[in-house]
Amino acid sequence: MTLNINIKDMKIIFTDEKNIFVVSKSKTSNKKISDGKPLVQTYTFSKEQYHLATTSKGFGMKKFFALDESNCMDCKFSGNQGEGGCYTHKFNQYVGFLSMLRSIKIEQLTAITVSKVIAIIELCKDTYVRFGTYGEPSLLPLSMVKSMADVASNWTGYTHQHDKKFAQGYKDFFMASTHTQEESTNRSSDGWRSFIALESGTDADAISCPASKEAGVLSNCSKCSLCSGAIGKGKKNVKILLH
């Protein structure tokens, strides 16, 4: 099969009815994420966010993140649920999201194809994959997630949709984003491993994230990769203080 995508661009885009998906390969300056090597990251934006970013100016972060119902769903930290509070709701990330959306041309907004999936898998070969850098990663096709993980050197991913029937197949690859010991225990009974984001003063039966401040930033996500679901690296739940 001949690809009609230039994978040298290191960014592949596809859409569904409500969302825009970006799979990109690049370096990051965030030392908690990677040691400087290129990594693959996935982003899911709503088409409403794209329209706002590409047709308006001066609207502000709150308005942008409020348009995340289709791509962040009912996550308690999403903008559409009220207060937001997601760790991605920071100015530097926001500016980066606007830049990414504004770089996407209208003609790139097409549905997923076999050629695009092949190109995405090619990007992931022997590379750390960070599922859900922004947006809900369980909106990605499960078969594609499996293929990406199969060829990656390692991966991480988290979902707040762990209690939904449609998301159960993603437990092999993603951590259940939970917030209490009770919630984590409930998810464990369904076969999930949990990443437990704790309020200060609370605790849970899990190992501390090696990339966290409270653990002394002993590693980074690309090297550690404990947060890789039921079939990935590690068997225990992982905890971190909310940040």
Side-chain angles (χ1 to χ4, degrees):
M1 178 178 294
T2 301
L3 298 182
N4 56 9
I5 298 167
N6 181 7
I7 63 173
K8 290 183 179 180
D9 292 341
M10 299 297 184
K11 185 167 67 176
I12 298 158
I13 299 152
F14 63 93
T15 66
D16 63 13
E17 183 180 350
K18 296 181 178 180
N19 297 311
I20 296 170
F21 302 85
V22 180
V23 183
S24 70
K25 186 172 185 176
S26 62
K27 294 183 179 181
T28 176
S29 60
N30 189 338
K31 294 181 180 179
K32 290 184 179 180
I33 301 300
S34 175
D35 56 5
K37 295 179 181 178
L39 69 153
V40 171
Q41 301 188 85
T42 75
Y43 304 80
T44 307
F45 300 99
S46 71
K47 288 185 176 178
E48 291 177 302
Q49 288 175 321
Y50 175 78
H51 179 75
L52 181 69
T54 55
T55 62
S56 305
K57 292 183 179 180
F59 43 79
M61 291 173 57
K62 187 173 182 179
K63 186 172 183 179
F64 176 82
F65 288 118
L67 299 176
D68 64 3
E69 183 175 2
S70 64
N71 58 310
C72 293
M73 305 173 78
D74 61 357
C75 170
K76 63 184 290 186
F77 298 112
S78 63
N80 76 84
Q81 293 294 300
E83 293 302 316
C86 176
Y87 69 94
T88 67
H89 294 185
K90 303 289 194 304
F91 183 74
N92 286 345
Q93 284 94 327
Y94 164 69
V95 170
F97 296 157
L98 293 184
S99 177
M100 179 176 286
L101 288 171
R102 289 167 177 166
S103 74
I104 297 173
K105 299 178 175 61
I106 289 289
E107 56 266 29
Q108 293 177 286
L109 300 180
T110 57
I112 194 167
T113 62
V114 173
S115 293
K116 289 186 179 184
V117 172
I118 291 172
I120 288 169
I121 294 169
E122 187 67 27
L123 285 185
C124 295
K125 284 183 178 178
D126 302 317
T127 302
Y128 164 56
V129 178
R130 188 184 183 209
F131 290 103
T133 298
Y134 178 66
E136 173 52 53
S138 66
L139 292 169
L140 294 166
L142 179 57
S143 59
M144 189 179 80
V145 169
K146 180 182 185 304
S147 295
M148 292 167 71
D150 281 346
V151 300
S153 58
N154 43 37
W155 74 89
T156 57
Y158 313 85
T159 177
H160 273 97
Q161 301 304 308
H162 45 76
D163 60 341
K164 308 296 196 305
K165 185 176 180 180
F166 84 89
Q168 295 311 299
Y170 295 85
K171 72 182 66 169
D172 283 347
F173 309 100
F174 303 156
M175 307 291 280
S177 288
T178 60
H179 304 280
T180 64
Q181 177 65 60
E182 181 181 10
E183 188 180 15
S184 173
T185 299
N186 290 338
R187 296 282 65 81
S188 293
S189 66
D190 291 332
W192 288 88
R193 292 175 59 221
S194 286
F195 183 77
I196 314 167
L198 296 166
E199 296 278 359
S200 179
T202 64
D203 202 0
D205 181 18
I207 62 173
S208 291
C209 167
S212 66
K213 288 184 179 179
E214 56 268 27
V217 193
L218 300 174
S219 187
N220 59 59
C221 295
S222 64
K223 185 184 297 183
C224 171
S225 299
L226 284 176
C227 294
S228 47
I231 68 169
K233 183 180 177 182
K235 300 300 178 185
K236 296 183 178 181
N237 293 330
V238 181
K239 63 184 178 182
I240 195 171
L241 292 177
L242 278 172
H243 58 288

